[in-house]
Amino acid sequence: MKILIKKKKSFTKKDDLIVLNDKNSDLSQFKLTISEINFIKKSKKEITQINQYSRQLFIVNYEKNINKNKQDESLRMLGYQLYKKVSELTSIYIIDNHKINNKNKNLTLKIAEGLALSSYQFLKHQTNPQAFKLKTIYLCEKVERQDIIELQNIINAVFFTRDLVNEPFSHLTAKDLANASKNIGKKFNIKTKVFNKKKIESLKMGGLLAVNKGSLDEPTFTIMEWKPKNAKNKKPIVFIGKGVVYDTGGLSLKPTANSMDLMKIDMGGAGTVIGAIQAIASNKLPYYVIGLNPATDNRPSGNAYAPGDVITMHSGKTVEVMNTDAEGRMLLADALSYAKKYDPKLVIDLATLTGSAVAAIGNYGFVSMHKDAHDEHENLKKVGLKVHERLAEFPFWDDYDELIKSDIADIKNLGGPYAGAITAGKFLSHFIDFPWIHIDLSCVYSKSEYGYRGKGATGMGVRLLYEFIKNKTKNEN
């Protein structure tokens, strides 16, 4: 279900309302009784509900925060809390009732963002789904229509990414993932190409082909190119997403109990790239962006690649395979070296790459590292604080290079028991010659409800990349 966000200038006495209030607010326009006003004044709750029978009023006592990033996130979380109270209504109107000189369109937009993101449900495979009833969020006349359109497009993109990540392997093979990209491309005028196995073989993408050897399904390599005529950059920014649609670990079968039931989410990087480019294109940001998504499943079979194998990659480098469950970096390495043909300004790869990233910071943000991209990485971290999809930068010292040296090949695909997220990044750095940021997605899925990100696929990363590119359209000539 797609929730709609609309502009509406007025409300009636029967409309359900969310009213942002402070101690100086005038409540007279809401036709409250004296007892209702006294009840609101005495209430110490952040959200006070008034049942007027013909409508529901939710009075939100909100004092503005000096720190804008914290304020925005607290408003989104208020939207999440409110959604639990309004999900069975059909529509809701959000009004900023602060004193006139304190009114700020950002307040209602962020509440709406949290409300809308909280409304997501994945009901596709249920025969008797119990869908929430809320269909429409109305915002006051102070909010510009273009701001509402932008937010709607972002929400739609996040939901599409969530759908992809929640989709089981039985319904999302590498070919299905590529077709989803093609459908988005047609809808938003994104130039999209899909390489089949024959083309991938001709490009000598040894890493992708090695991981695919154990599969019954062929791999794909998808290119999404958003290049508007008014683009502010000649050299593109390239996003690369890991597209392992299901991961058993291959012959190095995952040993941990209950570790395979969620491995449909191992294409979270590719899903994030698709959603981010959808958001950028649907809002027509004037910036040249490319998405590369190598995709396959990783299964054991008699023909599967094996520990001890040596693989020649797209770049020509050789890799000693120490563990077939370190497969994501094999795909990404081929995509990184392929990205050189675009002479990129910056490359950002995103992947559900290591358990050590999750162990280090949980699902509260992303692990990141970079090479020759200090300023870009600092900007991305600032954006992360703004949208509350934060980056935890890990060290990238030369010492870690020693851990992936191989006795028989150029490098090996596993660095040992320690610093796993970093050595995975070090492996990838062997396939670049451009400014590069690596993001280990430790939070694309949550087993328990995680605020407005919900339970299941979170869609985190889409808003981060969108806002990063949006900032560039403002700051670059």
Side-chain angles (χ1 to χ4, degrees):
M1 184 195 80
K2 184 172 77 172
I3 197 163
L4 297 177
I5 308 167
K6 295 183 176 181
K7 183 173 180 176
K8 194 174 182 182
K9 290 186 177 181
S10 60
F11 59 89
T12 73
K13 61 182 179 181
K14 292 185 178 180
D15 287 325
D16 299 308
L17 308 178
I18 292 171
V19 181
L20 300 183
N21 219 38
D22 63 24
K23 60 185 177 182
N24 298 313
S25 296
D26 179 9
L27 295 170
S28 60
Q29 64 174 310
F30 305 110
K31 310 300 182 185
L32 296 165
T33 65
I34 294 174
S35 60
E36 287 171 338
I37 291 173
N38 288 335
F39 179 73
I40 292 168
K41 287 182 177 179
K42 289 179 181 178
S43 175
K44 295 183 179 180
K45 296 180 179 179
E46 195 168 30
I47 301 170
T48 302
Q49 183 173 353
I50 303 292
N51 184 350
Q52 294 185 316
Y53 300 105
S54 62
R55 69 175 178 186
Q56 298 289 325
L57 259 65
F58 300 88
I59 309 297
V60 180
N61 291 311
Y62 184 79
E63 299 293 337
K64 292 170 71 175
N65 195 311
I66 295 175
N67 185 308
K68 189 175 183 302
N69 290 337
K70 289 184 178 180
Q71 172 180 281
D72 287 352
E73 181 62 9
S74 68
L75 287 164
R76 293 187 201 101
M77 288 302 292
L78 267 172
Y80 161 69
Q81 294 169 40
L82 283 160
Y83 193 80
K84 292 184 173 298
K85 300 177 182 293
V86 306
S87 61
E88 293 304 307
L89 304 175
T90 56
S91 64
I92 196 74
Y93 194 108
I94 305 175
I95 302 163
D96 183 0
N97 194 46
H98 288 87
K99 289 181 68 177
I100 292 176
N101 61 350
N102 281 336
K103 284 190 176 181
N104 181 349
K105 68 178 181 180
N106 188 62
L107 301 183
T108 51
L109 276 170
K110 296 306 174 187
I111 290 270
E113 184 178 12
L115 267 174
L117 288 170
S118 300
S119 74
Y120 175 83
Q121 292 178 287
F122 187 69
L123 305 174
K124 178 179 176 181
H125 302 295
Q126 295 183 14
T127 56
N128 185 28
Q130 303 298 307
F132 296 137
K133 294 178 181 177
L134 188 66
K135 298 290 192 297
T136 312
I137 300 169
Y138 293 108
L139 299 182
C140 67
E141 65 277 4
K142 186 176 179 65
V143 180
E144 298 296 330
R145 191 173 302 277
Q146 188 53 47
D147 291 333
I148 295 174
I149 292 171
E150 179 186 34
L151 177 57
Q152 181 76 70
N153 287 334
I154 293 169
I155 298 299
N156 293 348
V158 171
F159 281 15
F160 189 71
T161 292
R162 288 183 182 180
D163 283 346
L164 289 173
V165 177
N166 279 325
E167 194 70 81
F169 177 51
S170 56
H171 291 70
L172 192 76
T173 63
K175 186 176 180 180
D176 294 324
L177 185 65
N179 286 337
S181 300
K182 287 165 70 175
N183 291 337
I184 290 297
K186 288 177 183 177
K187 187 173 182 179
F188 297 107
N189 296 314
I190 304 161
K191 183 180 177 182
T192 305
K193 291 190 295 185
V194 178
F195 294 161
N196 60 18
K197 185 176 182 179
K198 187 176 180 180
K199 177 66 173 178
I200 293 167
E201 288 174 336
S202 72
L203 292 170
K204 298 181 180 180
M205 292 185 171
L208 176 54
L209 291 166
V211 178
N212 181 251
K213 282 180 69 177
S215 176
L216 296 174
D217 302 314
E218 293 193 352
T220 60
F221 188 96
T222 301
I223 304 168
M224 301 180 76
E225 187 173 4
W226 170 249
K227 190 178 183 181
K229 291 181 180 179
N230 61 339
K232 294 195 172 186
N233 56 320
K234 291 184 179 180
K235 291 186 175 184
I237 286 183
V238 178
F239 301 144
I240 298 176
K242 173 185 171 183
V244 177
V245 290
Y246 185 74
D247 181 24
T248 67
L251 289 179
S252 303
L253 202 65
K254 291 182 181 293
T256 311
N258 303 317
S259 63
M260 275 196 276
D261 55 344
L262 286 181
M263 282 301 101
K264 64 179 184 178
I265 74 169
D266 216 15
M267 41 60 65
T272 302
V273 168
I274 295 168
I277 292 182
Q278 175 183 329
I280 290 164
S282 60
N283 281 317
K284 297 181 172 58
L285 294 187
Y287 214 83
Y288 181 20
V289 177
I290 293 172
L292 304 179
N293 286 331
T296 181
D297 58 286
N298 181 30
R299 289 190 172 197
S301 80
N303 199 41
Y305 82 131
D309 284 356
V310 173
I311 307 299
T312 301
M313 310 293 282
H314 173 65
S315 68
K317 281 184 179 290
T318 57
V319 173
E320 181 184 8
V321 176
M322 305 304 294
N323 189 309
T324 63
D325 195 24
E327 87 297 335
R329 64 202 70 182
M330 303 290 285
L331 278 67
L332 291 173
D334 280 345
L336 284 166
S337 56
Y338 184 81
K340 295 177 185 179
K341 67 172 288 186
Y342 297 107
D343 189 21
K345 179 178 182 179
L346 172 70
V347 173
I348 302 175
D349 77 67
L350 304 100
T352 49
L353 206 59
T354 66
S356 66
V358 181
I361 66 168
N363 66 349
Y364 302 108
F366 308 120
V367 163
S368 69
M369 52 208 82
H370 74 88
K371 189 171 183 180
D372 301 324
H374 177 269
D375 291 346
E376 296 280 25
H377 191 249
E378 288 300 308
N379 290 334
L380 191 62
K381 286 198 291 186
K382 289 177 183 176
V383 169
L385 293 173
K386 181 177 180 180
V387 300
H388 207 73
E389 296 187 352
R390 298 161 293 179
L391 301 180
E393 183 178 359
F394 274 22
F396 214 51
W397 304 319
D398 292 342
D399 311 57
Y400 294 109
D401 289 308
E402 295 294 319
L403 300 178
I404 59 168
K405 284 186 175 180
S406 168
D407 293 332
I408 64 170
D410 295 329
I411 52 174
K412 57 186 180 181
N413 78 333
L414 201 65
Y418 305 113
I422 300 171
T423 53
K426 280 293 184 180
F427 176 89
L428 296 177
S429 71
H430 281 261
F431 300 90
I432 64 170
D433 63 0
F434 39 68
W436 165 74
I437 297 171
H438 167 56
I439 299 177
D440 200 322
L441 297 173
S442 51
C443 53
V444 296
Y445 193 94
S446 181
K447 289 186 177 181
S448 58
E449 193 165 77
Y450 181 28
Y452 56 82
R453 301 163 186 85
K455 183 179 180 180
T458 64
M460 288 179 68
V462 173
R463 291 163 55 243
L464 174 73
L465 295 181
Y466 174 81
E467 194 68 30
F468 179 67
I469 296 299
K470 181 182 177 182
N471 279 2
K472 288 191 162 295
T473 66
K474 293 179 179 179
N475 299 327
E476 295 183 11
N477 296 323

